[in-house]
Amino acid sequence: MNSVARTEPRSFSRLDIAFARFLSQRTGFDSVRKQAFEAIVMTASYEKNQGHSCIQIDNEALALLLASGLVEPNPGNQTNPLPLVIEQDRLYLHRYWSYENRLATQIKSMLRIGHSVENLDAMLDRYFPAVIGETDGQRAAAKMAAGQSFSIVTGGPGTGKTFTVVKILALLQELAGQALHIALAAPTGKAAMRLQESIGASKAKLPCPEAVKNRIPEAVTTLHRLLGAMPPSPYFRYDADRPLAYDLVVVDEASMVDLALMSKLVDALKPGGRLILLGDKDQLASVESGAVLADLAQAEALQNNVYTLSQSHRFDGVIKELAEAVNRQQDQLAWQLLSDAGDGAVQRLDGDLIAYIAEQRAEYLQLIKVNAEFEQVFKAFSRFQVLCSNRQGKNSVADINDRVEQKLAEQNRIALSGLWYSGRPVMITQNNAALNLYNGDIGICIQDFSSTLSADGGGKLMVFFQRPDGSIKKYLPARLPNCETVFAMTIHKSQGSEFEEVLIVLPEAMNPVLTKELLYTAITRAKKTIKMVATETVFSATVRQKIERVSGLIDRFKG
């Protein structure tokens, strides 16, 4: 009754089971039909947590659900909505139907608001001067965005998405004749930091008056902070009733934004406000439900609002070839590229995994020992990163972090006497607006000799973070929100980041997490070098497995 392809049995959570039983007790069904009803609802709940917005059902399930009295016959009813919604052959939990429907409705409204622009071609010629042999579409992307309220600029790494949007912002500021109120946002703190760095670097190159440059903001915030998160509730301070004040919102790394958050963002735009989404539609979909950027980019009705940049200005050579082979699911070619070695930019790691990682971490640990400035320490740490597909099991994040700590302790590079030690790198896993720390932020624990000395005469252990504006903040370890050691991180957590070298570690056996989107995302985190730990069997199976998320978002733009 569910079209989601699955080769392994589902492992229903206690919440899936409790939710299904809670609803079945309100149906009046006999025990046999209750059991069948519970199976459908458990599946819907489970698949929602696997990233699907809905499940597809057959006629037998449809008849049973309609007889339950718990299916909303009028989905737009907000007075007393029922918990389940059926549209065509799709079953939704009501909240996720509402997110999907509301998102599509709001975007359709934005499509009806065009913007007439005068002298645009002359301005485009200034911002995008013709270059012989230049074939990329940055100029075309800017022309599209200038005339639309809703725009998507997508493309792989190095295609100039950020540089293009900076020019778009300058164009719009000039066309407006008065200062536009612009917000720049990203899903994570790390992605926000990267966008802020790119905006700052790109503004200086703009062919426009200083007054226009000064109207382009450089500060970038996370989406949760922009919308005013109010944890632990799922609600935000800004919504349709209390919209944001911005004329234009730009969101980078939009592939990471899930259905619920995207729906709430679009809801919170002020009437007449613009939205520009930037991202790589071929990357991993969001951890939560939906594949919003990919779905919107595929919708036929949105093709005049979507531009895909294809020419990379910094991402080329064998790394680009490998990424493209994986994206096209050419597993034999991809494995051959790894095996050929060539100039060394892409190769398999045949030596001792843990010893190699420990050696790559020697530089930043030595800088800590000689009391180098934190900027130097953080730059050295950020040069290299281990990316894993799984959190648990052999060759997982937990496994590698534990073994690397033990190896570094054996080499006397760290003093592993407890949870906290000088040199421990950590990633924040829980947003804390009060501390200005967000999921994905990375810090390093170091002895702070400017603080009160500890009992043994050394500096007090503090955890240092580099903020998007370049400033350094430090916190007592006990004050931090939930965090974890990050000698290795999941590929999901690496989205929005770049490293000179990445070491990609796949498990010894195939599992559902392994997909070509996951591998493509890992590969495109590297700027200079990729090393891979994987068997040919697992690598090839990963390239051949594609993410398929069930949703009705594309269908909502048909007709």
Side-chain angles (χ1 to χ4, degrees):
M1 284 180 283
N2 177 12
S3 72
V4 179
R6 186 166 301 282
T7 56
E8 78 289 349
R10 295 182 180 86
S11 179
F12 295 119
S13 70
R14 293 172 63 185
L15 182 59
D16 297 332
I17 297 168
F19 176 61
R21 288 179 178 170
F22 174 80
L23 292 188
S24 72
Q25 289 169 3
R26 286 150 177 79
T27 61
F29 286 154
D30 58 35
S31 61
V32 174
R33 292 205 295 172
K34 269 188 180 180
Q35 188 174 9
F37 177 83
E38 287 178 6
I40 298 170
V41 176
M42 280 193 293
T43 299
S45 178
Y46 174 88
E47 296 297 355
K48 187 272 294 182
N49 291 321
Q50 304 309 304
H52 304 283
S53 305
C54 54
I55 62 172
Q56 289 180 305
I57 54 174
D58 58 22
N59 290 333
E60 181 184 351
L62 174 62
L64 182 66
L65 289 162
L66 291 175
S68 72
L70 296 175
V71 173
E72 182 58 66
N74 177 19
N77 173 29
Q78 297 300 315
T79 305
N80 187 27
L82 293 172
L84 304 174
V85 173
I86 292 177
E87 276 192 345
Q88 300 175 20
D89 61 347
R90 298 188 297 269
L91 171 66
Y92 293 84
L93 304 183
H94 192 284
R95 176 178 289 183
Y96 286 83
W97 173 87
S98 180
Y99 289 146
E100 190 177 281
N101 184 66
R102 184 69 177 167
L103 175 60
T105 300
Q106 294 289 72
I107 290 177
K108 287 177 182 178
S109 296
M110 296 176 73
L111 298 183
R112 293 192 284 269
I113 304 174
H115 297 270
S116 60
V117 288
E118 297 179 3
N119 303 317
L120 180 59
D121 285 334
M123 294 177 66
L124 287 169
D125 290 341
R126 172 159 47 92
Y127 280 99
F128 300 92
V131 177
I132 296 176
E134 191 73 44
T135 58
D136 67 69
Q138 293 182 4
R139 186 184 193 277
K143 186 172 185 177
M144 172 201 72
Q148 308 282 0
S149 291
F150 175 76
S151 306
I152 297 175
V153 179
T154 183
T159 52
K161 296 184 293 293
T162 304
F163 189 50
T164 301
V165 84
V166 172
K167 291 186 176 183
I168 291 171
L169 297 182
L171 269 170
L172 294 179
Q173 290 285 14
E174 286 199 58
L175 289 166
Q178 58 184 9
L180 295 174
H181 198 192
I182 299 172
L184 306 173
T188 67
K190 186 67 176 177
M193 184 182 296
R194 277 197 55 220
L195 178 60
Q196 184 157 312
E197 291 169 353
S198 297
I199 294 285
S202 300
K203 276 177 61 174
K205 304 173 185 176
L206 289 173
C208 62
E210 286 298 316
V212 174
K213 294 180 184 179
N214 292 336
R215 293 175 192 166
I216 300 173
E218 292 185 25
V220 183
T221 185
T222 64
L223 278 172
H224 282 81
R225 192 172 186 191
L226 174 71
L227 294 173
M230 298 187 292
S233 85
Y235 303 107
F236 291 93
R237 183 172 296 109
Y238 296 101
D239 54 24
D241 294 326
R242 187 183 178 186
L244 296 163
Y246 299 101
D247 302 303
L248 167 64
V249 176
V250 177
V251 180
D252 196 17
E253 297 292 348
S255 64
M256 300 169 65
V257 184
D258 62 85
L259 174 62
L261 186 56
M262 188 70 80
S263 181
K264 291 174 183 180
L265 168 65
V266 174
D267 243 4
L269 297 175
K270 78 174 189 179
R274 296 182 187 234
L275 177 64
I276 299 176
L277 303 179
L278 307 177
D280 186 344
K281 60 182 174 55
D282 296 317
Q283 279 189 30
L284 275 169
S286 57
V287 175
E288 303 296 332
S289 295
V292 179
L293 184 69
D295 283 352
L296 294 176
Q298 289 181 57
E300 188 174 342
L302 295 177
Q303 291 313 294
N304 291 334
N305 302 75
V306 179
Y307 200 93
T308 301
L309 300 173
S310 57
Q311 181 172 328
S312 179
H313 297 268
R314 62 168 171 78
F315 186 72
D316 53 18
V318 70
I319 295 179
K320 182 180 181 181
E321 290 178 41
L322 179 63
E324 290 177 344
V326 167
N327 198 34
R328 292 193 297 263
Q329 296 186 281
Q330 298 172 319
D331 56 299
Q332 292 184 356
L333 173 59
W335 184 254
Q336 188 62 48
L337 290 168
L338 280 173
S339 303
D340 285 347
D343 60 4
V346 169
Q347 57 186 278
R348 286 184 286 147
L349 179 67
D350 295 321
D352 185 293
L353 170 63
I354 303 305
Y356 181 80
I357 297 171
E359 192 56 37
Q360 296 303 306
R361 289 312 189 192
E363 181 185 4
Y364 95 91
L365 291 170
Q366 181 59 33
L367 287 171
I368 290 174
K369 286 187 176 181
V370 299
N371 298 324
E373 294 293 328
F374 178 72
E375 290 91 336
Q376 289 181 271
V377 173
F378 191 71
K379 183 178 180 180
F381 177 82
S382 301
R383 179 191 65 78
F384 167 83
Q385 187 58 56
V386 182
L387 304 180
C388 302
S389 59
N390 294 77
R391 294 187 58 82
Q392 301 294 329
K394 182 71 181 297
N395 283 352
S396 68
V397 167
D399 176 50
I400 290 177
N401 279 329
D402 182 61
R403 288 196 283 157
V404 169
E405 279 188 334
Q406 296 300 323
K407 174 64 75 172
L408 292 173
E410 290 171 12
Q411 297 174 341
N412 294 318
R413 286 175 168 158
I414 61 173
L416 193 59
S417 57
L419 178 63
W420 292 100
Y421 54 85
S422 182
R424 184 191 179 199
V426 294
M427 174 183 282
I428 300 299
T429 59
Q430 180 184 45
N431 293 330
N432 188 314
L435 294 178
N436 197 25
L437 290 173
Y438 295 91
N439 189 359
D441 288 352
I442 292 177
I444 300 176
C445 184
I446 301 176
Q447 284 185 304
D448 180 20
F449 293 98
S450 67
S451 299
T452 305
L453 295 180
S454 62
D456 61 5
K460 181 184 293 185
L461 287 176
M462 302 288 286
V463 184
F464 289 73
F465 294 83
Q466 187 169 22
R467 308 311 309 158
D469 61 2
S471 63
I472 307 300
K473 298 292 183 182
K474 59 186 179 182
Y475 305 85
L476 284 168
R479 292 191 66 206
L480 295 183
N482 293 342
C483 61
E484 57 190 29
T485 303
V486 70
F487 287 115
M489 69 172 69
T490 62
I491 297 169
H492 272 96
K493 289 289 189 182
S494 75
Q495 287 182 273
S497 301
E498 281 186 340
F499 311 95
E500 288 186 21
E501 177 182 341
V502 297
L503 173 59
I504 303 169
V505 183
L506 300 185
E508 296 175 344
M510 192 62 186
N511 66 62
V513 169
L514 298 172
T515 63
K516 68 107 170 175
E517 290 87 355
L518 186 87
L519 194 52
Y520 172 86
T521 300
I523 291 166
T524 54
R525 299 309 92 206
K527 293 194 285 187
K528 294 182 178 179
T529 308
I530 291 172
K531 288 187 171 60
M532 181 82 65
V533 175
T535 65
E536 182 176 3
T537 300
V538 170
F539 179 87
S540 296
T542 299
V543 175
R544 292 194 299 268
Q545 183 159 280
K546 188 179 187 300
I547 290 176
E548 297 288 353
R549 289 198 166 174
V550 181
S551 87
L553 188 57
I554 295 176
D555 285 349
R556 294 186 188 280
F557 289 95
K558 293 179 179 177

